[in-house]
Every structure is written in C-alpha cells, then in structure tokens.
Amino acid sequence: MKKAFLVIITTALMFTSSHINAQQTALTDKQINAWFAKKDWLGGAPLQPHKTINKAELARQYQLNQSYWDKAFAFLKNNDLEKLGAGRYAIDGDNVYAMITEAPTKNLDDAKWESHHNYIDLQAVISGEEKIGMTPVSKLTVTMPYDASKDLANYSGDGKLYDAFPGTFFLFFPGEAHRPGITTNGNKPDKKLVIKIRYAE
C-alpha cells in the first residue's frame, strides 16, 4: 500500500514538474516582448540591446540557463570595460567567459562570416566603431566546415550590415552567422568585448 502511494506521488510530481516546464517555455510573443522591454534581465548592465536580437531565443535561453546570463550581465555592470586590457576573463569557468581584443577594423573582404554551435556570442564595441554583418547560416555557403575544437564554421555570401558603436550589444545564437570587425571608414583602432555564453539545446 505504501509503495503504491509513493508511486502515485512520484508520478504526480513528475507530471507537475513537466507541466511547469512546459508553461515556462510556452511564452506568447506579447509576453516575450513585455519581458524584453522591461529589461530586468539586464541586471542593471549599462549597455542597450541591439534591435536585431532574437527576443524569443533570448527568453528561451534565459529560462534554461538564467545563472549564466545573470553572471554575464553582472560582468558588464561591475567592470569598467575601457580600463580592462586585452585578454580572456573568467566569469563561470567554460560556461561563461569574456574576451577583450584591441585591433584595427578590417576591409569587408577580409572579414569572414562565422557561426558557433556551443556558444552564444554577446558582442559589444568598447571604443571605436565597426560594422557587423548578420544573416541566417542557411543563406550562406560553407567555406570551412564546423570545427568542434574551435566551435567555429566559416561561410561566404551576403547579409545585412549594421553599425556597432559603444553602448550597444549584439547577440548571435547558433544558426545566426555574423561578420564582425568591418571598417566604417578606414582601418581604425577598435576595442571589442565578446562574452561567450554556453548554449542550451
């Protein structure tokens, strides 16, 4: 009798848990837009999200790995990025880490399309300016097949270019190819932040 009762309770808990998880991921477009616009998820970070960000995918990833995102935005809030030198900065082991680079921008033909499978890129210009290309991977031709050791694939093709200035960040999810570091007018110095955030399937 006691064993049967435990089975019933366990089954009920499993159903309740799966029901809650389903509710968490089944957000409407209206709910996603309201959540995004409120910007509580930014945790007080001083940067603004770029208009190209996939709000639905951000909301899904935030639900699945909230601690990763909270730590990433805390890094943005708690550090003076202009004072940080080039290099890699630990945030949460290999789950979340930051890289700062200082290099001249590139001519369009020298900038490669790229995408990743295991990580989401948060990219922000710290000082300087650049253009960043963005387009679905499905619209490009593979030039370097995915290399798991680098979490990187390269492509050729066309996509839309966006201006990237200090104060704004971009997010690139798997399936979204990006082409960063393109010159706006001459190969000027460009200090850049990339935060790698582990992707949740």
Side-chain angles (χ1 to χ4, degrees):
M1 183 73 175
K2 189 180 286 186
K3 188 175 181 180
F5 178 74
L6 287 172
V7 169
I8 291 169
I9 291 297
T10 302
T11 303
L13 286 172
M14 288 174 65
F15 173 79
T16 302
S17 176
S18 63
H19 182 64
I20 289 171
N21 287 337
Q23 283 185 324
Q24 286 178 338
T25 56
L27 297 175
T28 65
D29 287 345
K30 186 175 180 180
Q31 289 172 321
I32 290 167
N33 288 333
W35 170 83
F36 185 87
K38 199 172 179 183
K39 295 182 182 173
D40 287 346
W41 49 274
L42 269 173
L47 302 183
Q48 294 300 310
H50 194 262
K51 63 182 181 180
T52 56
I53 289 174
N54 184 330
K55 298 175 187 176
E57 184 60 13
L58 172 59
R60 189 178 81 88
Q61 290 294 318
Y62 189 82
Q63 283 184 326
L64 293 171
N65 278 330
Q66 181 176 341
S67 67
Y68 294 173
W69 292 91
D70 288 348
K71 289 173 184 177
F73 291 124
F75 180 87
L76 293 174
K77 179 182 179 182
N78 298 328
N79 288 280
D80 184 341
L81 301 178
E82 294 210 20
K83 291 182 179 178
L84 294 181
R88 175 169 167 156
Y89 294 83
I91 298 175
D92 182 3
D94 288 332
N95 295 317
V96 187
Y97 59 93
M99 295 181 297
I100 291 179
T101 57
E102 295 186 70
T105 50
K106 306 170 187 173
N107 294 328
L108 180 63
D109 291 343
D110 296 325
K112 295 180 180 178
W113 286 105
E114 61 182 51
S115 74
H116 316 291
H117 288 188
N118 297 329
Y119 287 93
I120 301 152
D121 270 13
L122 183 158
Q123 297 198 11
V125 171
I126 298 171
S127 61
E129 61 184 50
E130 65 178 63
K131 288 185 180 293
I132 299 179
M134 184 176 181
T135 196
V137 165
S138 59
K139 294 188 175 181
L140 301 174
T141 301
V142 175
T143 57
M144 186 191 84
Y146 178 70
D147 182 340
S149 67
K150 298 178 181 178
D151 189 37
L152 178 69
N154 291 128
Y155 309 87
S156 64
D158 297 318
K160 190 165 183 181
L161 298 180
Y162 298 92
D163 292 323
F165 300 107
T168 301
F169 70 90
F170 292 72
L171 287 175
F172 303 112
F173 299 96
E176 295 178 338
H178 43 286
R179 192 179 189 181
I182 300 168
T183 184
T184 55
N185 183 22
N187 305 118
K188 299 175 182 177
D190 186 38
K191 186 175 182 181
K192 181 83 175 280
L193 167 74
V194 177
I195 299 181
K196 308 291 281 190
I197 302 163
R198 190 175 294 279
Y199 177 73
E201 296 290 347

